[in-house]
């Protein structure tokens, strides 16, 4: 049975014509963000109010993702054609830090599960910390990042030429149960 939900809140589509997938919803559903050229618009979908227009990138915002960590659920990471990532506090509208390392336009970002779950996942049986989020650029070079230590990426990897630009992360321990 398919369920339909209605709302009195109308959120405008992303005016970022380069990509329509540069939007995300926070873990608890209290915030929605979408790219609008060099900016990110943060909306409270429950009230239908625009909270902030985030502005720090020098190029077009090409991707974004809210953190999936319940302690950082109001933080958002944005990637841009200017080759930078920016970590934002979406509640205050302030940038927390700029992260560099990519040599090309950033195409995709996806955040990982919480730190404590990641470090204690029984299925992994390892103490390796994967990172808080992953980013991939136009040349298909990817990095995993720890937001507390973002001076350098945790890991670097090269994706195949067939990479479409879509990323998703998952909880490994849930797949193995």
């Amino acid at each position: 049975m398919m369920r339909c939900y209605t709302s009195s809140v109308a959120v405008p589509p992303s005016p970022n014509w380069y990509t329509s997938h540069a939007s995300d919803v926070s873990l608890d559903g209290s915030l929605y963000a979408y790219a609008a050229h060099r900016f990110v618009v943060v909306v409270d979908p429950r009230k239908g109010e625009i909270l902030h227009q985030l502005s720090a990138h020098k190029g077009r915002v090409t991707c974004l993702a809210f953190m999936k960590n319940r302690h950082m659920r109001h933080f958002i990471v944005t990637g841009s054609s200017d080759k930078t990532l920016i970590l934002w506090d979406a509640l205050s509208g302030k940038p927390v830090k700029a992260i560099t390392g990519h040599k090309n336009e950033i195409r995709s970002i996806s955040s990982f599960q919480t730190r404590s779950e990641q470090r204690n996942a029984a299925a992994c049986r390892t103490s390796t910390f994967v990172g808080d989020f992953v980013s991939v650029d136009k040349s298909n070079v990817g990095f995993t990042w720890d937001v507390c230590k973002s001076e350098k990426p945790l890991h670097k990897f090269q994706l195949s030429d067939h990479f479409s630009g879509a990323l998703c992360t998952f909880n490994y321990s849930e797949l193995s149960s």
Side-chain angles (χ1 to χ4, degrees), residues 11 21-34 41-46 64-69 72-76 90 111:
V11 177
H21 65 270
S23 65
D24 199 10
V25 178
S26 64
L27 186 64
D28 63 0
S30 66
L31 298 170
Y32 171 73
Y34 64 92
V41 179
V42 179
V43 177
D44 179 337
R46 295 173 186 156
L64 59 91
F66 275 98
M67 301 303 291
K68 291 180 183 170
N69 179 322
M72 296 182 67
R73 66 181 172 267
H74 63 279
F75 286 88
I76 187 169
S111 65

Side-chain angles (χ1 to χ4, degrees), residues 1-8:
M1 178 170 137
M2 185 161 74
R3 293 181 183 202
C4 295
Y5 297 95
T6 60
S7 172
S8 60

Side-chain angles (χ1 to χ4, degrees), residues 81-97:
S81 62
D82 66 12
K83 306 172 192 166
T84 63
L85 297 156
I86 298 179
L87 177 68
W88 302 86
D89 180 335
L91 291 178
S92 71
K94 305 282 186 207
V96 176
K97 64 171 68 177

